[in-house]
Amino acid sequence: MIPDPPAPTVVDDLVALSRTLGEPARNLAILAEGNTSVRLDGEGSSGRMLVKASGAWLARLVPEDLVELHLASLVGLLDREDAGDDQVTRAFTEATVARDAPSARPSVEALLHAVCLSETPARVVAHTHPVAVNGLLCSGSADLLGAGALFPDQIVVLGRHVLVVPYVDPGLPLARHVRGMLRDFRARHGTAPRVLFLRNHGIFALGASSDEALQITEMAVKVALVLQAAAATGGVVFLTDEQADRIDSRPDEHHRRRSLVAREKVSR
Ligand SMILES: [Zn+2]
């Protein structure tokens, strides 16, 4: 009998997701665009995450391109009114857990990963700059992405509501802004969003697993393409609130949502 192959480690899993996201045909990220992260332990702002290092390419990612950081050191920076670029650099150094590749440094977008992992139940975060989505995010029609649901599968994968974030200076200002919007979203909808659309920038997919983060990214791209096609062929017609709420609450759709989430066992 052939034994089962060993379960992939968290590192293998994040490397595989990153390389998939970086595949040229997907048009999600070129060069060193985009980044991925995974929570290693803890909850809320406690615990550690692994995040892609600045300058590393998703398409060619290797384990040495991942940096391990304490979430609390990064998230704590957001509450310091006087914090500037120097403090961000120092906080990154303090937050970094010693690793084999000391030259690898997190990008400034690691702050947003820390916010997403500490403010939502997400375990894996995938940030990309998809051509199809950015076509809308860089247009006067960006708000269409948050204006309603187009088709049932969009609701199953992306949730009933998504978050569209205005353009804010990257780094601490953007991380603070997104944290505020995530808290408002939770207060309004009683749940966390699964995708963030950042105007003139790209998307953050918030998944329970790497499979889910990829599914959310793929669905966000599909929604953007359908929106553009609908706008070009007579105008966008969204589902009504009643129709969308019905999909969101149907037991069979809940079942479909659960069965989409990967059940692979991931060990460290
Ligand atoms: Zn980016």
Side-chain angles (χ1 to χ4, degrees), residues 158-257:
L158 300 187
R160 175 71 177 85
H161 302 281
V162 302
L163 195 55
V164 180
V165 179
Y167 186 81
V168 177
D169 195 30
L172 268 181
L174 178 60
R176 284 198 188 101
H177 196 85
V178 167
R179 183 171 71 166
M181 289 191 82
L182 285 172
R183 290 178 180 177
D184 286 350
F185 187 100
R186 244 190 153 141
R188 202 155 4 110
H189 302 301
T191 179
R194 295 195 203 130
V195 63
L196 276 54
F197 292 102
L198 277 64
R199 286 191 85 131
N200 298 87
H201 184 172
I203 65 169
F204 276 76
L206 315 184
S209 64
S210 56
D211 277 5
E212 195 183 29
L214 179 61
Q215 288 164 11
I216 290 167
T217 302
E218 289 176 330
M219 187 58 77
V221 168
K222 177 155 188 167
V223 166
L225 290 171
V226 172
L227 266 176
Q228 290 172 48
T233 50
V236 180
V237 178
F238 291 108
L239 295 172
T240 65
D241 283 346
E242 292 73 30
Q243 289 166 337
D245 287 341
R246 172 85 183 117
I247 296 295
D248 198 35
S249 61
R250 277 170 64 135
D252 55 333
E253 299 293 5
H254 278 280
H255 173 74
R256 204 141 66 92
R257 191 174 279 166

Side-chain angles (χ1 to χ4, degrees), residues 32-35 107 109 112 127-129 174 198 201-204:
E33 284 186 322
N35 27 62
S107 82
E109 287 180 336
L112 264 186
H127 167 54
T128 54
H129 303 165
L174 178 60
L198 277 64
H201 184 172
I203 65 169
F204 276 76

